[in-house]
Amino acid sequence: MAPIKPVAASLLVDRLQRPLRDLRISVTDRCNFRCTYCMPKEIFNKDYPYLARESLLSFEEITRLARLFHGLGVEKIRLTGGEPLMRKNIDALIEMLSHIEGLDLTLTTNGALLPKKAQALANAGLKRITVSLDSLDDSVFKAMNDVDFPVAKVIEGIDAAAQAGLLPIKINMVVKKGVNEQSILPMARFFKQRGEILRFIEYMDVGHTNGWRMDEVVSAREIIDIIHQEMPLEPIDPNYTGEVAQRWRYQDGSGEIGVIASVTQAFCKDCTRARISTEGKLYTCLFAHSGNDLRALLRNHATDEQVKTAIGHIWQARRDQYSEIRHKNTTPSPKIEMSYIGG
Ligand code: SAM
Ligand code: SF4
Ligand code: SF4
């Protein structure tokens, strides 16, 4: 095999000229919820083969990868899962990552453990956070999380995050037709008044356990129309190229919302995002069916330069644009579950 030349971060673009800017790291494949669209109970039960502890990347391995990715151009890292706050001593990992200068670090959580952990996360150096909440209606929310978890406890978590100064707080709501469309307006009114940024996410065909169907998707356009009729909106510019949420602000000046139209208005052409699974595989697309084993490199004593070179070559070979070609793709292929690859 010909020798592999090291890759300079400034030149690191994929086959479609997209730079590597964002990284999502899944720190656990476990969760205390069983959201029907993500980890349906029938499959994620006590017999499910969750990863063994020694398979997980250690905090040292995650921090080393984060540092190397940062050196290759990654500006933003999001910790996710599974439920990241279920990873033992997650605040210790935040503390280690917070020493990487110039890195924008954030985390997505279902909020259940925030009342207990928000202050420790802030003390460890976390600056901001995203909390998922799919409805303000207890019966709808409980049916979606499927573990009987009440809305009030998530709001308590959001309040705890605000109290700890984890600001700004963003709220993620997945919208599924016939399940929680009725919650769009109450959620918009509630977070408009509170000032947190609510982001509506189109229900996606991630993994293969949620039985996704196109007719269960409520499009971003429909969501905007529903809200606009009651609370007029106008579009605003993205904060940066590659931002996945389209931003809209209320015409009365009372804040903004976002819509993530990953199904109906694919944004692959600007996708600058890589993902590391709980056991250290690098995926260059949320819908990839295989990843590259970085953990093996780390555990086989590869040098920093060797790891960076490997990452660089994987990124340079990237051609993924699943959402752009979703509709043309007639042969379903096995995809990775979101709880493993990181949402
Ligand atoms: N457990 C954390 C949480 O729920 O925020 C972090 C992981 S979760 C996989 C990350 C995000 O992905 C959540 O906002 C969740 O609602 C969203 N998500 C999960 N499955 C999805 C799907 N099929 N379509 C769209 N969004 C999904
Ligand atoms: Fe857990 Fe988040 Fe998936 Fe819900 S969306 S099952 S909270 S990982
Ligand atoms: Fe990026 Fe893949 Fe999603 Fe397209 S489908 S936006 S390439 S993660």
Side-chain angles (χ1 to χ4, degrees):
M1 196 164 96
I4 294 173
K5 283 205 218 96
V7 185
S10 55
L11 300 175
L12 193 53
V13 289
D14 70 7
R15 293 283 177 104
L16 305 177
Q17 300 303 309
R18 299 169 296 190
L20 172 58
R21 290 273 177 263
D22 313 272
L23 181 65
R24 298 198 160 202
I25 305 177
S26 172
V27 294
T28 176
D29 60 341
R30 292 166 195 254
C31 188
N32 42 2
F33 284 13
R34 285 291 174 276
C35 303
T36 49
Y37 54 74
C38 179
M39 295 180 75
K41 237 180 199 166
E42 310 73 55
I43 290 161
F44 293 88
N45 55 28
K46 62 175 182 18
D47 299 323
Y48 187 81
Y50 292 104
L51 295 168
R53 207 187 146 71
E54 60 278 11
S55 299
L56 272 51
L57 287 183
S58 68
F59 288 177
E60 287 72 22
E61 289 169 332
I62 292 175
T63 307
R64 183 175 174 208
L65 283 177
R67 189 169 46 74
L68 298 178
F69 271 90
H70 185 49
L72 284 168
V74 164
E75 292 156 358
K76 188 162 124 192
I77 291 187
R78 180 175 294 276
L79 300 183
T80 177
E83 174 46 43
L85 301 191
M86 292 212 22
R87 178 82 187 248
K88 214 168 150 205
N89 300 326
I90 184 78
D91 51 315
L93 174 63
I94 302 276
E95 206 271 330
M96 290 163 75
L97 294 172
S98 70
H99 293 297
I100 303 176
E101 208 163 314
L103 183 70
D104 178 13
L105 179 65
T106 182
L107 177 152
T108 303
T109 172
N110 61 28
L113 295 170
L114 271 179
K116 227 191 285 173
K117 300 199 175 180
Q119 193 58 56
L121 295 173
N123 294 348
L126 190 67
K127 298 276 184 288
R128 57 196 185 82
I129 202 161
T130 299
V131 183
S132 303
L133 177 63
D134 295 329
S135 181
L136 290 175
D137 180 322
D138 248 340
S139 58
V140 174
F141 185 54
K142 286 180 178 177
M144 289 180 86
N145 66 53
D146 218 8
V147 292
D148 217 26
F149 200 84
V151 173
K153 290 262 185 204
V154 180
I155 306 290
E156 211 181 291
I158 297 170
D159 288 339
Q163 191 82 41
L166 294 173
L167 299 168
I169 297 172
K170 289 183 182 156
I171 311 293
N172 277 357
M173 172 180 175
V174 175
V175 185
K176 199 172 164 188
K177 191 160 275 176
V179 177
N180 65 337
E181 298 159 273
Q182 304 307 329
S183 304
I184 294 172
L185 271 174
M187 285 280 287
R189 289 184 200 119
F190 184 75
F191 288 105
K192 178 177 189 279
Q193 190 245 327
R194 285 176 56 107
E196 279 114 9
I197 301 173
L198 177 57
R199 304 188 316 166
F200 298 90
I201 307 178
E202 288 180 352
Y203 171 45
M204 288 185 287
D205 51 335
V206 214
H208 58 91
T209 57
N210 64 10
W212 182 90
R213 294 201 326 259
M214 185 70 198
D215 61 7
E216 292 171 325
V217 177
V218 181
S219 72
R221 188 66 251 174
E222 290 172 86
I223 295 168
I224 291 297
D225 287 348
I226 291 170
I227 300 171
H228 181 73
Q229 276 179 22
E230 177 178 313
M231 295 170 277
L233 290 162
E234 60 195 11
I236 39 177
D237 289 339
N239 287 310
Y240 52 90
T241 310
E243 186 171 33
V244 297
Q246 295 167 19
R247 300 170 64 210
W248 293 77
R249 76 173 152 231
Y250 291 110
Q251 288 180 17
D252 67 5
S254 64
E256 68 176 85
I257 59 165
V259 281
I260 304 180
S262 21
V263 178
T264 61
Q265 299 170 51
F267 37 77
C268 301
K269 70 174 172 30
D270 289 327
C271 180
T272 56
R273 180 170 297 176
R275 291 179 158 83
I276 297 179
S277 74
T278 319
E279 56 180 339
K281 291 204 175 127
L282 172 61
Y283 289 87
T284 53
C285 177
L286 179 56
F287 298 94
H289 36 78
S290 63
N292 295 272
D293 192 357
L294 297 182
R295 189 189 64 188
L297 278 180
L298 301 183
R299 294 191 184 171
N300 285 327
H301 312 291
T303 63
D304 283 359
E305 237 9 88
Q306 287 169 328
V307 179
K308 275 172 80 169
T309 300
I311 297 167
H313 284 277
I314 293 164
W315 191 261
Q316 283 174 328
R318 176 185 191 243
R319 300 173 175 278
D320 304 283
Q321 43 178 337
Y322 175 82
S323 290
E324 309 270 8
I325 58 176
R326 170 187 280 117
H327 301 294
K328 295 178 214 144
N329 191 358
T330 47
T331 23
S333 54
K335 289 176 274 153
I336 303 298
E337 296 304 324
M338 204 171 198
S339 47
Y340 164 82
I341 194 176

